[in-house]
Amino acid sequence: MATLNETSDPTDQFDIGTLLASFTACYQSDGQLLLSEYIRGCTEIQRFFKRLGLVFAFTVNEVGGFVQVLTRHLNDAEYGSNYVTIQKMFEYETENKLCGTKVNGQPSGTRTMLQ
């Protein structure tokens, strides 16, 4: 039986360089925050917690759900362009009164970010 911190996939290893690069690339010179890079950084944080073992299983699952919801919004063929940056996501969901509701069957990105 595998434990949470064991992995057979070398691409699932935590990399501090990737974490730093992701969050550095997230911040744009105009102050916008790229959601794709933010998600990449959060995925790396999830890998870190996964390596810490079963004590952090809840955290791993929470971050995984967070990443999954935001990724689905970003990759949505119809609405994904409204989720390119975190600011654009907040504006879109606020203007369309989607905060705290389900958007295409998923919790809103705004609700997810504020959890």
Side-chain angles (χ1 to χ4, degrees), residues 3 18 49 79 110:
T3 62
T18 300
F49 282 116
Y79 300 103
T110 303

Side-chain angles (χ1 to χ4, degrees), residues 37-57:
E37 291 298 327
Y38 185 82
I39 290 169
R40 192 168 74 123
C42 289
T43 300
E44 207 58 39
I45 288 172
Q46 181 185 23
R47 288 180 180 142
F48 172 75
F49 282 116
K50 188 174 183 182
R51 300 295 301 159
L52 294 177
L54 288 174
V55 172
F56 290 92

Side-chain angles (χ1 to χ4, degrees), residues 2 22 27 33 43 49 59 69 72 74 79 94 96 99 103 112:
S22 299
Y27 182 77
L33 300 171
T43 300
F49 282 116
T59 305
V69 168
R72 285 182 181 159
L74 181 63
Y79 300 103
T94 301
N96 291 286
C99 301
V103 179
T112 301

Side-chain angles (χ1 to χ4, degrees), residues 44-109:
E44 207 58 39
I45 288 172
Q46 181 185 23
R47 288 180 180 142
F48 172 75
F49 282 116
K50 188 174 183 182
R51 300 295 301 159
L52 294 177
L54 288 174
V55 172
F56 290 92
F58 177 77
T59 305
V60 169
N61 290 333
E62 284 295 307
V63 173
F66 175 87
V67 164
Q68 188 177 49
V69 168
L70 293 177
T71 300
R72 285 182 181 159
H73 285 304
L74 181 63
N75 293 336
D76 186 273
E78 189 174 350
Y79 300 103
S81 62
N82 295 302
Y83 292 85
V84 173
T85 67
I86 293 172
Q87 291 88 336
K88 195 168 186 177
M89 174 184 69
F90 280 129
E91 289 171 12
Y92 168 72
E93 290 188 354
T94 301
E95 288 172 4
N96 291 286
K97 296 180 179 26
L98 299 171
C99 301
T101 66
K102 297 249 180 193
V103 179
N104 296 329
Q106 294 292 313
S108 71

